[in-house]
Amino acid sequence: LDYQHVQVPFEITLWIMLASLAKIGFHLYNKLPSVVPESCLLIFVGLIMGGIIYGLNDRSPPVMDSDIFFLYLLPPIVLDAGYFMPSRPFFENIGTILLYAVVGTIWNVFGIGFSLYGICQVKAFQLQDVSLLHNLLFGSLIAAVDPVAVLAVFEEIHVNEKLHILVFGESLLNDAVTVVLYKLFRSFCEMPTIKSVDVFAGVGKFFVVGLGGVLVGLSFGFTAAFTTRFTKDIRVIEPLFVFLYSYLSYLTAEMFHLSGIVAIISCAMGMKRYVEANISLKSHTTVKYFMKMWSSVSDTLIFIFLGVSTIGENHEWNWPYICFTVIFCLIWRALGVLVLTFFVNRFHVNTITSKDQFIIAYGGLRGAICFSLVFLLPDFRRKKLFIAATTVVILFTVFIQGMTIRPLVDLLAVKRKRESAPTVGEQIHIRFLDHLLAGIEDISGHWGQYYWKDKLEYFNSKYLQKILLREYDQPKSSIVLLYEKLERKHAMELAQAGQLGHGPAHPSFLSSDRTVITDQKLEDTPNPDVLDNMQEILARNLYRIRRTGPAYNRHTLPGDSEPTEQAKEILILRHKSL
Amino acid sequence: LDYQHVQVPFEITLWIMLASLAKIGFHLYNKLPSVVPESCLLIFVGLIMGGIIYGLNDRSPPVMDSDIFFLYLLPPIVLDAGYFMPSRPFFENIGTILLYAVVGTIWNVFGIGFSLYGICQVKAFQLQDVSLLHNLLFGSLIAAVDPVAVLAVFEEIHVNEKLHILVFGESLLNDAVTVVLYKLFRSFCEMPTIKSVDVFAGVGKFFVVGLGGVLVGLSFGFTAAFTTRFTKDIRVIEPLFVFLYSYLSYLTAEMFHLSGIVAIISCAMGMKRYVEANISLKSHTTVKYFMKMWSSVSDTLIFIFLGVSTIGENHEWNWPYICFTVIFCLIWRALGVLVLTFFVNRFHVNTITSKDQFIIAYGGLRGAICFSLVFLLPDFRRKKLFIAATTVVILFTVFIQGMTIRPLVDLLAVKRKRESAPTVGEQIHIRFLDHLLAGIEDISGHWGQYYWKDKLEYFNSKYLQKILLREYDQPKSSIVLLYEKLERKHAMELAQAGQLGHGPAHPSFLSSDRTVITDQKLEDTPNPDVLDNMQEILARNLYRIRRTGPAYNRHTLPGDSEPTEQAKEILILRHKSL
């Protein structure tokens, strides 16, 4: 037996296996995951595992290594989050999200830090040796809402899209603020005196860390898109580039002390559109599946490790400090959300309701990032107290808040996510309104989001697409893409049932069989009439729609595409249908 | 800048990136890969990289770590090989493959070892200090044909299936022999005296190492299949289990000093059938794609590292020893193939032609396994000589033999692989013949391969499928599966062209449009008439075929499935088609 030799990969594989099997186990009993969030169950499994290890070895189980967390476990989750980020609600609410992420996090850090310092002054609590700087340092690591924890809980409760993106977007983008404040206070702790210059340098760093992350991410994202232009002959390594470039963007950002999370999100959002157009359908399935799989495994491992690391002798217990930490975390977040939303609502027509505000404040879950940061602290006398307080806050938010948020959402009747995809009609209207509003903003000289979106779209179709896409054809409008997807799904269903017609669809045949279609469709789709009519219209005219370009576009003229190409393709299609 | 912190993942990612980009680079110039095998190009890239590193650092570039090779780079390639192994030709030729792998390898090891020892006795060569044991040890590592190198070259030259499986199967299964002999001689080298008991123990080890590997592999494979029974609710982690269990089988086998390669191949071949039936179509696409991707990356990295490691000061040059090593490798392999094939051909109707024999002998490429094994040797005076000889043999076989094998295959007009998939008619005939031969063997009392195959099939359908498959329905016959695949592809094509008929296929409609189908099909498939007719027959009768079970099976009675279920499903389908 030669265990030493294979130890590292063997143990890693076993941990992943345990995580995956735990996941299967939960889903075998359908009732459990509907009451308790998966993250709680996983932490619970981790606690048991930790207890077993502690019992057998008689010493603390190994704590989650911060390097492993930041270098290997976090990136897949953030990549997944960035790649599948609903870009429309994200950019529509980017202002509010940034306000929460930057101002809200700073508010929380200083609020928690100063009020804990106040508590430390009470002689009865025996905490006078904890300095203000240490309290602020602790505040900077405990204030940040954790994207992994938020995602795990919010994915299960299905609140409306806007509310989801507000909480989740904040948890992602506050990384830049957390990184800066945490490093700032940590270096202050080690400095003998602090000059005002250092404080100003800290403020300047916000912009460097955040914008630097965006820049690094976008440049890697565009390089990835550019690389996939040339993979036509080796489809098999296409998916690799998506992962390689995003990971490189994360590592590069970390290397330069920029925000890795911001970088990988920008990279994923930047590349997605072009990569999807360049790679094959199967490669794309692989990318999507593997991203989900990887992030799901990372997520599971993080929560299990969180549980395992909780057990042991790393903790120093001090009731007042720990209790007040939990209370201040709750209070300052609630206050912050109230104050900030007051300002946000003054400038928006579509206001954030008080129910939504409550869920935003209540959904501020802490997770593995705080946990890793507290272990990264330099050794000093009260580190174990900070570790204990952090652990309690995480367990409190994940267990108590995570388990009660679903009943609360039900109780308050918070607006839920609509389950059905937007219909073709809705999509047409949304697109029409976008163009209309862009036009209005253009005329009125107001540079709002529609104006910028329109300019970006122009830049995209004029330069980016030509460089990054392999076949720079007419870009397909989302309606045509939706229709193609529906057609593909329909074809697969027919093939499955063995009812595929082998001929092209004549209009005459279509109309004579219309009753059959309506019957069939009624069972499958949510609003069959609308879809069905649309589908029929599109089926008859697909060719024409495909060629007329992406609906109306302010930057393309009707006769933009080359007439000879069009004529050739018409000929080919005619020939085929004969 | 904090490079230290991210160094490990950053450098790994960069190496993979380099490998992938090199691959893209080769394929941009279509002419290059058609003349020079990719493996040669990659080694060449590695040589350049090594030269650059050597030039910049003024010291030898790092050699490929044997642990990294055996633990991380080799498993994906072998997993891919095992998972996509054409099982029919493999099992049809398993006797011949085992003969080549076991007897052939032993023959080569002792042949090369003893004749090199003879060379060492020549005083002029100054090699008298190399003992017989050291020569045999060297023989054991240089004799084994390398699966990675063989796969890389043979995948590009498309020889017929039997020839391919003979060379490739040998290269995979000789691992057990190599492991045993290498470890045996290495421990002999360290022993003061060798008793005859040790030699017999070595012989016994063959069976333990080989059969142990098969056992470990199969048990993990069946566990994997069993696990995927329960993944219906979390499709997203399904692909993970395929990778986890196969990797665990490899590591477990290595841990117990069994053959990891044999284990992972048995695991992959054992699980494939059941896993495919259990997991979703998209998961399966992901598994296939990711396996190919991973093995392709590993493969690329291995050849690049091989090139990089060649540069440097690890070599001791001795013309006679190195030249004679190359010559003996060629001679003993050629002799071995000739002698073994003589015996094989006496017992087979379907003989191995002399052209095939030449290609088998010539295709005995050495690769990274030898290279890693030679670096794993304990330090002794002549280790650098062995390293140099191994490097030369690898470069000679990969470059000279790898580059000339394609012209030789053309010149000799070796039978090529047929490019088209077997038609439905052929499949029916093959299946029919299988059953017929199994019956004949049963009656005649001759326990040949058909008899065993039939028994295995019986065991499979009676026990294994019931335990390992989620929906133990009528297993689908390969013909129905082929038909379904064709239908799906056809449906996708129609959907792509926007010509999908929305109604079920009435026979009347079918026949009226028949000319259209034939026209369409002529462009796509190799033998359109056969397929077309079959497809039409199946389309009309798919429902009936789906229910009558897997063609004729000696172990199922016609009325095996429950009549009420059948009736229910007929009703549902009738209702739908109304």
Side-chain angles (χ1 to χ4, degrees), chain A residues 284-477:
Chain A
H284 192 222
T285 305
T286 308
V287 168
K288 282 195 295 185
Y289 243 70
F290 221 80
M291 225 173 245
K292 285 272 169 230
M293 193 177 94
W294 233 334
S295 74
S296 153
V297 169
S298 279
D299 188 272
T300 314
L301 283 177
I302 287 174
F303 285 115
I304 287 188
F305 282 153
L306 214 53
V308 171
S309 308
T310 304
I311 305 286
E313 286 146 6
N314 296 315
H315 307 290
E316 179 196 336
W317 201 261
N318 179 306
W319 275 104
Y321 196 83
I322 289 170
C323 290
F324 277 109
T325 307
V326 174
I327 293 167
F328 287 141
C329 279
L330 290 174
I331 290 177
W332 284 104
R333 179 157 179 89
L335 279 178
V337 170
L338 276 179
V339 173
L340 290 177
T341 316
F342 174 75
F343 287 107
V344 168
N345 278 346
R346 283 190 62 177
F347 295 102
H348 279 77
V349 184
N350 195 356
T351 56
I352 300 168
T353 65
S354 51
K355 282 177 193 172
D356 285 355
Q357 289 176 41
F358 177 74
I359 296 297
I360 294 174
Y362 202 71
L365 308 180
R366 268 67 163 187
I369 290 187
C370 309
F371 196 79
S372 300
L373 285 179
V374 81
F375 273 98
L376 278 181
L377 283 181
D379 274 324
F380 71 105
R381 245 198 80 209
R382 293 292 194 164
K383 187 175 172 182
K384 284 191 174 180
L385 174 64
F386 284 2
I387 293 178
T390 310
T391 310
V392 170
V393 170
I394 293 171
L395 293 184
F396 180 84
T397 53
V398 172
F399 273 88
I400 310 289
Q401 292 180 219
M403 281 168 74
T404 51
I405 199 165
R406 195 201 304 251
L408 278 172
V409 165
D410 288 337
L411 197 74
L412 293 173
V414 172
K415 208 176 140 206
R416 296 301 183 94
K417 196 165 79 182
R418 56 181 289 184
E419 290 299 323
S420 58
T423 61
V424 179
E426 278 177 309
Q427 289 212 4
I428 293 176
H429 277 97
I430 291 170
R431 180 172 292 258
F432 168 70
L433 271 176
D434 281 0
H435 284 298
L436 188 69
L437 284 167
I440 291 174
E441 286 189 352
D442 212 359
I443 292 169
S444 68
H446 169 75
W447 289 0
Q449 55 165 319
Y450 293 101
Y451 174 83
W452 286 112
K453 200 179 159 192
D454 198 62
K455 280 275 166 286
L456 208 67
E457 198 56 53
Y458 176 70
F459 180 70
N460 174 45
S461 66
K462 183 105 184 185
Y463 303 106
L464 285 181
Q465 288 195 330
K466 280 181 192 161
I467 301 169
L468 301 178
L469 292 187
R470 187 186 306 131
E471 288 156 9
Y472 176 62
D473 205 16
Q474 291 271 9
K476 282 175 183 170
S477 91

Side-chain angles (χ1 to χ4, degrees), chain B residues 186-206:
Chain B
R186 217 176 63 171
S187 54
F188 282 176
C189 281
E190 285 155 7
M191 276 186 215
T193 54
I194 301 155
K195 292 174 198 155
S196 57
V197 158
D198 298 322
V199 178
F200 282 109
V203 175
K205 258 196 163 179
F206 278 128

Side-chain angles (χ1 to χ4, degrees), chain B residues 137-151:
Chain B
L137 180 57
F138 180 64
S140 75
L141 68 89
I142 204 76
V145 174
D146 187 82
V148 183
V150 166
L151 205 61

Side-chain angles (χ1 to χ4, degrees), chain A residues 502-533:
Chain A
H502 285 275
H506 308 293
S508 60
F509 172 66
L510 254 178
S511 51
S512 72
D513 261 284
R514 213 177 132 189
T515 46
V516 179
I517 315 161
T518 326
D519 276 8
Q520 267 191 324
K521 278 281 133 186
L522 265 169
E523 300 158 14
D524 309 327
T525 48
N527 30 12
D529 283 339
V530 183
L531 267 187
D532 215 50
N533 284 337

Side-chain angles (χ1 to χ4, degrees), chain B residues 29-290:
Chain B
Y29 302 94
N30 274 322
K31 279 204 168 169
L32 209 58
S34 67
V35 181
V36 189
E38 215 181 71
S39 44
C40 299
L41 290 174
L42 289 169
I43 291 185
F44 196 70
V45 169
L47 287 173
I48 294 172
M49 289 289 302
I52 293 173
I53 297 175
Y54 191 45
L56 290 179
N57 289 357
D58 241 354
R59 58 191 173 83
S60 305
V63 291
M64 176 158 59
D65 186 11
S66 300
D67 263 3
I68 290 181
F69 173 73
F70 281 113
L71 291 183
Y72 305 107
L73 293 177
L74 188 59
I77 298 176
V78 184
L79 173 63
D80 176 60
Y83 198 82
F84 294 99
M85 177 88 85
S87 57
R88 197 186 166 86
F90 179 75
F91 284 112
E92 269 175 4
N93 297 299
I94 184 82
T96 316
I97 292 171
L98 278 176
L99 194 72
Y100 284 144
V102 180
V103 183
T105 307
I106 295 175
W107 164 285
N108 276 314
V109 169
F110 285 98
I112 295 171
F114 279 111
S115 40
L116 278 178
Y117 182 61
I119 295 299
C120 291
Q121 300 316 306
V122 181
K123 276 199 177 146
F125 297 158
Q126 295 175 320
L127 288 163
Q128 278 115 318
D129 59 320
V130 186
S131 70
L132 176 62
L133 258 182
H134 276 124
N135 272 318
L136 283 173
L137 180 57
F138 180 64
S140 75
L141 68 89
I142 204 76
V145 174
D146 187 82
V148 183
V150 166
L151 205 61
V153 167
F154 273 71
E155 258 185 355
E156 291 178 9
I157 59 175
H158 304 291
V159 294
N160 65 72
E161 228 173 12
K162 187 179 171 185
L163 185 51
H164 182 257
I165 204 73
L166 285 181
V167 182
F168 181 52
E170 180 205 335
S171 70
L172 284 174
L173 298 190
N174 68 21
D175 179 57
V177 181
T178 311
V179 167
V180 172
L181 284 181
Y182 178 76
K183 288 190 177 156
L184 200 70
F185 289 132
R186 217 176 63 171
S187 54
F188 282 176
C189 281
E190 285 155 7
M191 276 186 215
T193 54
I194 301 155
K195 292 174 198 155
S196 57
V197 158
D198 298 322
V199 178
F200 282 109
V203 175
K205 258 196 163 179
F206 278 128
F207 297 97
V208 177
V209 168
L211 294 180
V214 172
L215 269 184
V216 168
L218 283 184
S219 49
F220 274 99
F222 289 140
T223 319
F226 186 70
T227 310
T228 52
R229 268 190 75 161
F230 305 103
T231 52
K232 205 182 174 185
D233 295 320
I234 23 170
R235 291 286 190 198
V236 91
I237 58 169
E238 275 176 350
L240 199 64
F241 288 106
V242 174
F243 299 108
L244 285 182
Y245 279 107
S246 356
Y247 192 43
L248 272 186
S249 77
Y250 181 85
L251 292 177
T252 310
E254 288 283 308
M255 196 159 69
F256 291 105
H257 296 291
L258 305 174
S259 166
I261 292 184
V262 171
I264 203 169
I265 286 176
S266 326
C267 179
M269 292 180 83
M271 78 164 86
K272 189 184 182 192
R273 188 168 172 173
Y274 308 106
V275 166
E276 271 181 21
N278 279 337
I279 68 181
S280 76
L281 199 70
K282 282 193 176 173
S283 296
H284 192 220
T285 305
T286 308
V287 168
K288 282 195 295 185
Y289 244 70
F290 221 79

